[in-house]
Amino acid sequence: QVQLVESGGGLVQPGGSLRLSCVASGNIFPFSIYAMGWYRQAPGKQRELVATITSGGSTNYADSVKGRFTISRDNAKNTVYLQMNSLKPEDTAVYYCNAGHQPPNSDYRPLDYWGQGTQVTVSS
């Protein structure tokens, strides 16, 4: 079994910042070999990939968040983070953590390991 638990969501004003955390447990050991990704889904929208980080630490971002969001990981804590700065109303969504694979020069491939999601609402 694999469990991913997100936290850190909430209500924030436009221009504000928020840091999301995702803690992995269960049969996802060693954590360090997995690529990790953050997805988000707004009402009536498709789930979209926001950011990924490989086991080697390489990162990729959706164009919509590039320059504002930063994904990072702490393997000692089995945790991946998403630092969100300069938040906009269009960032409002449920954010999900995912474990997957991302071979060199390849797209992120999600595994069926998802968190429960954490709500981020950006509103004045």
Side-chain angles (χ1 to χ4, degrees):
Q1 312 94 311
V2 174
Q3 185 175 25
L4 304 175
V5 179
E6 302 97 334
S7 63
L11 175 64
V12 65
Q13 295 186 42
S17 297
L18 214 56
R19 188 182 72 165
L20 307 184
S21 298
C22 172
V23 180
S25 62
N27 193 20
I28 192 167
F29 201 76
F31 173 78
S32 60
I33 72 172
Y34 292 90
M36 300 293 294
W38 284 98
Y39 288 77
R40 68 185 181 187
Q41 188 166 23
K45 304 290 186 179
Q46 294 290 112
R47 185 173 297 187
E48 65 173 336
L49 183 61
V50 175
T52 66
I53 184 166
T54 69
S55 60
S58 297
T59 59
N60 293 96
Y61 301 92
D63 289 341
S64 59
V65 307
K66 195 170 299 182
R68 300 187 297 119
F69 290 12
T70 302
I71 187 172
S72 62
R73 65 193 298 162
D74 186 340
N75 291 333
K77 297 181 179 180
N78 291 353
T79 301
V80 61
Y81 304 95
L82 186 67
Q83 178 66 46
M84 305 183 294
N85 298 325
S86 302
L87 283 162
K88 305 174 180 179
E90 49 263 46
D91 295 318
T92 296
V94 178
Y95 284 71
Y96 297 93
C97 180
N98 175 260
H101 296 308
Q102 191 167 17
N105 301 312
S106 298
D107 292 337
Y108 183 78
R109 186 172 79 253
L111 299 174
D112 195 21
Y113 303 140
W114 298 91
Q116 83 290 346
T118 185
Q119 176 71 49
V120 172
T121 302
V122 185
S123 177
S124 59

